[in-house]
């Protein structure tokens, strides 16, 4: 990440340590390469629903003085900003500390004309690493592919421990009719 930040400074880019579209474009120009990084255009023009798990009276997991609902919301806002910067139309299920039922969350995606649904969660119970779940009821093959792409991208960008891609019977990915994943971004 430090090398990315140094490069961003040298190119007068926003310094965030993330090799996003603007950084990759500048890097290709510096290297005189005309190849597009696949994720740069993969979301452009797509509608993606980002779901910050839990909220309000449902704190989710708690540990180390932290509540899952707060981590999920901040992570979701960060993800939404990155997706918007890459040209996606983002629909957030919640942008504040409010409660939504599981069926409300899947309905938002089903009614938004979404191309994908990503539910953000934080794991509990001890352990380390990141895992991504998908379900086969609707858009199964696409959901599995999305889960694999997200999992490999997170691991590549964070150097975190991969706990793998798994099929999981969670309401928000079971009842959402578009490619859907639930990402456990780490342990609280």
């Amino acid at each position: 990440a430090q090398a990315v930040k140094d490069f961003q400074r040298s190119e007068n880019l926003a310094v965030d340590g993330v090799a996003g579209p603007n950084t990759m474009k500048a890097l290709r120009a510096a290297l005189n390469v005309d190849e597009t990084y696949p994720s740069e255009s993969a979301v452009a023009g797509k509608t993606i629903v980002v779901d910050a798990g839990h909220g309000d009276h449902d704190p989710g997991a708690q540990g180390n003085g932290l509540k899952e609902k707060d981590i999920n919301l901040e992570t979701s806002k960060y993800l939404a900003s990155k997706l918007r910067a890459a040209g996606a139309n983002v629909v957030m299920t919640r942008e504040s500390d409010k409660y939504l039922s599981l069926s409300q969350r899947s309905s938002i995606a089903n009614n938004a004309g979404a191309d994908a649904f990503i539910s953000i969660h934080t794991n509990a119970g001890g352990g380390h690493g990141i895992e991504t779940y998908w379900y086969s009821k609707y858009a199964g093959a696409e959901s599995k592919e999305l889960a694999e792409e997200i999992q490999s991208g997170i691991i590549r960008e964070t150097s975190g421990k991969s706990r793998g891609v798994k099929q999981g019977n969670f309401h928000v990915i079971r009842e959402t009719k578009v490619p859907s994943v639930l990402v456990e971004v780490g342990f609280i």
Side-chain angles (χ1 to χ4, degrees), residues 65-111:
L66 302 170
K67 295 179 183 173
E68 180 182 0
K69 67 177 185 172
D70 299 328
I71 295 169
N72 298 346
L73 182 58
E74 290 307 310
T75 303
S76 294
K77 286 179 176 179
Y78 178 79
L79 172 60
S81 73
K82 293 297 180 185
L83 290 169
R84 285 182 182 118
N89 172 37
V90 178
V91 176
M92 299 280 293
T93 58
R94 69 182 183 97
E95 296 189 62
S96 62
D97 187 18
K98 73 177 189 177
Y99 176 79
L100 292 164
S101 70
L102 297 175
S103 60
Q104 286 175 304
R105 294 167 189 271
S106 55
S107 290
I108 289 169
N110 291 336
N111 294 327

Side-chain angles (χ1 to χ4, degrees), residues 52-70:
H54 305 284
D56 192 34
H57 65 274
D58 175 10
Q62 298 179 67
N64 302 307
L66 302 170
K67 295 179 183 173
E68 180 182 0
K69 67 177 185 172
D70 299 328

Side-chain angles (χ1 to χ4, degrees), residues 131-134 144 147-148 151-152 162-167:
E131 57 196 357
T132 304
Y133 290 90
W134 65 281
K144 183 178 182 185
E148 290 168 347
Q151 180 73 12
S152 66
S162 178
R163 293 174 55 94
V165 171
K166 305 169 183 178
Q167 190 166 184

